[in-house]
Amino acid sequence: WLLHRTFLNGYAMNILLVDDNVDYLFPMKEALYSHGYTVYAADDGTQATKIISATTLDLIISDIKMPNFDGMQLHQFVREMKAYAKTKFIFISGYHDLYSDKLNLSPGRDYFIDKTMAADEIIKFIDRLMFGKYAEVWVWPHFQQQLVNYEG
């Protein structure tokens, strides 16, 4: 049995999570998954490009600073693809540095989150980002009811 966050038409939300720090990647993947999202994980930008090319994604979350193919290069790769030109992209970083100051964020499409935030706060941000005003009205009550039905 698997609970997925879905659009109103029943389509499961697909998220790509990219981080070279597996101590962050896997717990965050599990937190998103346990809240009903379908989550693909990559531990570097090169692996992420393969997933992006083979999958339909609704949201991409990427660490900024990674070896080989970093989050900024991944963002550029995504924005050059017609299919992902308007896909929401969240940059994450555990610290604020000159590297993150160089981000070119497009309003309404690109976001920055401090990955030291609690996982439940990050998930609430994602819910609001993906579901807007319906996050508080539809997503959480619907999710809680499904849990009651599952546990009961």
Side-chain angles (χ1 to χ4, degrees):
W1 185 81
L2 177 62
L3 178 68
H4 288 283
R5 290 271 198 248
T6 58
F7 290 113
L8 295 177
N9 67 0
Y11 171 78
M13 286 286 223
N14 294 323
I15 295 177
L16 172 61
L17 180 62
V18 188
D19 199 315
D20 61 321
N21 178 352
V22 294
D23 292 333
Y24 180 82
L25 179 67
F26 292 113
M28 191 62 191
K29 177 185 177 185
E30 288 303 313
L32 289 164
Y33 178 80
S34 71
H35 281 80
Y37 289 103
T38 301
V39 184
Y40 298 86
D43 60 11
D44 66 36
T46 303
Q47 186 182 20
T49 62
K50 293 174 184 172
I51 295 169
I52 290 166
S53 297
T55 310
T56 300
L57 300 165
D58 302 297
L59 174 65
I60 299 167
I61 304 169
S62 177
D63 189 14
I64 298 171
K65 202 169 189 175
M66 297 181 289
N68 303 325
F69 199 84
D70 65 30
M72 292 170 65
Q73 291 169 308
L74 180 62
H75 180 260
Q76 182 177 348
F77 173 82
V78 167
R79 292 296 176 237
E80 289 174 356
M81 296 179 74
K82 186 176 181 179
Y84 290 109
K86 295 183 180 182
T87 300
K88 291 178 179 14
F89 195 107
I90 299 175
F91 289 102
I92 55 173
S93 182
Y95 53 92
H96 192 66
D97 61 10
L98 294 175
Y99 198 75
S100 61
D101 288 340
K102 295 180 181 183
L103 294 175
N104 185 17
L105 302 177
S106 297
R109 290 188 303 165
D110 299 327
Y111 304 87
F112 176 84
I113 292 180
D114 183 336
K115 70 177 171 181
T116 62
M117 285 175 52
D120 63 329
E121 291 300 315
I122 292 174
I123 291 167
K124 284 181 184 177
F125 175 84
I126 292 168
D127 284 346
R128 284 190 298 272
L129 179 65
M130 301 309 290
F131 294 99
K133 67 182 181 180
Y134 298 104
E136 315 276 317
V137 176
W138 183 79
V139 175
W140 282 103
H142 181 70
F143 179 67
Q144 289 169 343
Q145 184 59 47
Q146 285 184 329
L147 285 177
V148 168
N149 292 343
Y150 173 70
E151 292 170 352

